């Protein structure tokens, strides 16, 4: 089995024989379709001998399905929900937690390690770790307090931050985050428990740009290509890409992803009127799109408090593919 190398620290995976046969249950608040960080962590742990199962919340379709990957398994569960619900989203999260527990109990699933991805899965992970008598790993991809600074009330975010800090100190056996900047500038002010840094780094890839463009129906001529792959939200400043397409018709814009319905409609309309915009919808293989680009776009509203902490996958994919990057946050300093 060939699995891409992933720079897990020695204190996460010291020796293959320590994880051989270990059952790891990962909890994820998205359908993993895809989630590059989660999938690469799962692959690395599987390569070290562990049996990895991801229980994922399919909030987009509400389907129940099992996906067998080469190295691990994904089990998707409902309920479906819409976006931008604010605190009401917690009602749907509680339904997913109930469904996850019923699935685990019905199938008599055991775990030596419960692995929570982000704060929304942490309470469920604590419950399951106690029930299954397992160790608990918490991987903080995001900083919820700042990520939701615009959408949710300050007191609500303070409550989540306080609960998160308590849970890390009291229940978490291993705390993981994505960058030293976050560990130093944020987590050191929240908890005394030092996190293990597991970055979103990728091995360098020499993907042929001309071949990637040919697969997308683009001519490999002199025209420059700028690509965006990710979620659609007002914070991502995708309107700037649409403006660029009008101002610079010699540049071709590739956009792939999903999210805010209004933004999706704007992109679809722009792609119909501007021949230099290609809208590809949701793509399960982001690198096949990014490889076709000269420059990767991942901007964020610089006025948003979370901008300073951004560590997007696209930053590390741009480095791995040797492509230029337009970005802010951590990416803007690289």
């Amino acid at each position: 089995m060939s699995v891409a190398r992933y720079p897990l620290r020695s204190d996460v995976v010291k020796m293959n024989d320590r994880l051989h046969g270990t059952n790891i249950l990962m909890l994820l608040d998205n359908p993993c379709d895809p989630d590059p960080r989660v999938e690469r962590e799962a692959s690395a742990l599987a390569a070290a001998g562990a049996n990895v199962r991801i229980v994922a919340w399919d909030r987009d379709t509400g389907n129940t399905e099992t996906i067998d990957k080469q190295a691990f398994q994904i089990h998707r569960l409902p309920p479906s929900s819409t976006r931008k619900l604010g605190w009401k989203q917690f009602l749907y999260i509680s339904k997913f937690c109930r469904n996850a527990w019923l699935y685990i109990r019905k199938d008599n699933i055991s775990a030596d390690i419960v692995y929570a991805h982000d704060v929304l899965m942490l309470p469920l992970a604590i419950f399951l770790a106690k029930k299954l008598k397992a160790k608990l790993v918490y991987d903080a991809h995001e900083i919820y307090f700042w990520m939701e600074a615009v959408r949710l009330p300050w007191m609500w975010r303070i409550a989540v931050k306080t609960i998160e800090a308590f849970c890390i100190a009291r229940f978490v056996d291993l705390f993981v985050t994505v960058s030293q900047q976050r560990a130093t500038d944020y987590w050191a002010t929240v908890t005394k428990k030092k996190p293990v840094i597991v970055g979103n780094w990728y091995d360098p890839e020499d993907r042929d740009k001309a071949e990637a463009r040919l697969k997308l129906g683009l001519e490999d001529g002199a025209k420059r290509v700028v690509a965006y792959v990710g979620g659609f939200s007002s914070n991502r400043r995708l309107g700037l890409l649409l403006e660029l397409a009008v101002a610079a018709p010699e540049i071709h814009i590739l956009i792939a992803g999903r999210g805010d319905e209004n933004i999706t409609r704007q992109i679809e309309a722009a792609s119909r009127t501007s021949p230099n915009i290609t809208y590809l919808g949701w793509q399960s293989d982001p690198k096949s799109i990014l490889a076709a680009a000269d420059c990767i776009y991942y901007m964020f509203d610089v006025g948003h408090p979370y901008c300073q902490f951004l560590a997007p996958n696209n930053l590390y994919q741009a480095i791995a593919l040797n492509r230029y990057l337009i970005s802010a946050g951590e990416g803007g300093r690289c």
Side-chain angles (χ1 to χ4, degrees), residues 278-291:
T278 300
Y279 172 52
L280 298 164
W282 179 254
Q283 299 290 318
S284 60
D285 181 16
K287 279 192 178 179
S288 65
I289 313 301
L290 301 177

Side-chain angles (χ1 to χ4, degrees), residues 36 178-179 181-182 199-203 227-229 287 290 296-299 307-334:
V178 303
S179 71
Q181 179 216 4
R182 293 185 181 206
N200 288 324
W201 299 102
Y202 291 79
D203 289 334
Y228 172 82
V229 179
K287 279 192 178 179
L290 301 177
I296 296 170
Y297 179 90
Y298 193 95
M299 186 50 68
C307 183
Q308 62 180 313
F309 293 111
L310 282 184
N313 269 291
N314 281 0
L315 161 63
Y316 304 100
Q317 289 173 336
I319 295 172
L321 292 168
N322 194 26
R323 302 295 192 264
Y324 292 106
L325 178 74
I326 300 172
S327 187
E330 183 184 24
R333 288 192 292 272
C334 290

Side-chain angles (χ1 to χ4, degrees), residues 149-150 235 237 300-308:
V150 174
N235 292 329
R237 303 300 305 275
F300 201 84
D301 185 351
V302 294
H304 194 290
Y306 195 43
C307 183
Q308 62 180 313

